[in-house]
Amino acid sequence: MRAARIAAVVLFIVGLAAYSAWLLEFVVPTGLSPVDRPAEDLLGADVLFRVARGVAGLAFALSGPPLMRLAPVHWTGRLSAISVCLFGFLMLADAARPGTRAVDVAANLVFVAGALSLVLWWPPRWREWAVGGLALVLVTWALVLVAGLLGPGHLEGLFTRAQLVVRTVLLAVGVTYVAVMPAPRRL
């Protein structure tokens, strides 16, 4: 159990660091407006962002097996572990072929499913974080959708970056939970 916990935490930290690489746009000249251009456009602006997305995807995908060992033997706990793993595979697909709308929609659906699973199985003190995280995930996704439908100049870049921040915070809360949660009892 200890090895699974260490592996999951290390993979999560690597994934979070790589997933947060979009912040380098404020140091690396990309020519993109962080207010109007969606964060996904960074993947085409510099290979650094694609590599970082791929590293994040690989780390999250590889965290699936250790998370399955740590999650309770219940569908909600398993759904959480599967969601992180699937999210990782979708990040890998996004790095390979940036801008694929189906991958973007699938990643949002998987993230929502994962956040909802946390609401259903985390204990009360942690559940509050999960409920707030789920609400923010849904709000930022709605803002991204509306801004995308309205077209350029409607803050799509700002909303996609807010979405990345919300996801990163929820994943950071998740790794904190993994680090401190009691080991599940096995029969």
Side-chain angles (χ1 to χ4, degrees):
M1 240 4 116
R2 181 172 161 80
R5 185 182 312 269
I6 291 169
V9 169
V10 167
L11 288 166
F12 251 87
I13 290 171
V14 169
L16 283 171
Y19 192 66
S20 300
W22 67 271
L23 291 168
L24 293 174
E25 78 174 309
F26 298 110
V27 180
V28 175
T30 63
L32 299 175
S33 165
V35 174
D36 295 322
R37 298 289 297 275
E40 290 77 25
D41 287 357
L42 291 170
L43 299 177
D46 193 303
V47 71
L48 167 72
F49 298 106
R50 282 180 78 170
V51 169
R53 180 65 55 100
V55 169
L58 183 61
F60 291 138
L62 290 175
S63 72
L67 287 174
M68 288 295 275
R69 289 194 36 81
L70 294 170
V73 183
H74 191 270
W75 71 269
T76 54
R78 300 296 185 195
L79 180 59
S80 295
I82 290 168
S83 295
V84 171
C85 186
L86 281 176
F87 185 69
F89 282 118
L90 290 165
M91 294 299 94
L92 283 169
D94 196 31
R97 288 196 64 117
T100 307
R101 185 58 67 188
V103 169
D104 187 45
V105 170
N108 280 299
L109 290 173
V110 165
F111 210 90
V112 167
L116 180 61
S117 71
L118 299 178
V119 170
L120 297 174
W121 75 274
W122 273 4
R125 180 170 62 98
W126 289 92
R127 189 173 299 132
E128 294 165 6
W129 281 96
V131 169
L134 175 61
L136 288 172
V137 164
L138 291 171
V139 166
T140 55
W141 188 18
L143 290 170
V144 168
L145 286 173
V146 169
L149 291 173
L150 294 175
H154 288 93
L155 305 178
E156 186 178 11
L158 185 65
F159 295 142
T160 57
R161 285 158 181 82
Q163 184 180 47
L164 290 172
V165 169
V166 167
R167 286 179 177 177
T168 302
V169 169
L170 189 55
L171 286 165
V173 170
V175 73
T176 303
Y177 181 76
V178 167
V180 301
M181 74 177 188
R185 287 181 265 179
R186 303 282 182 206
L187 298 175

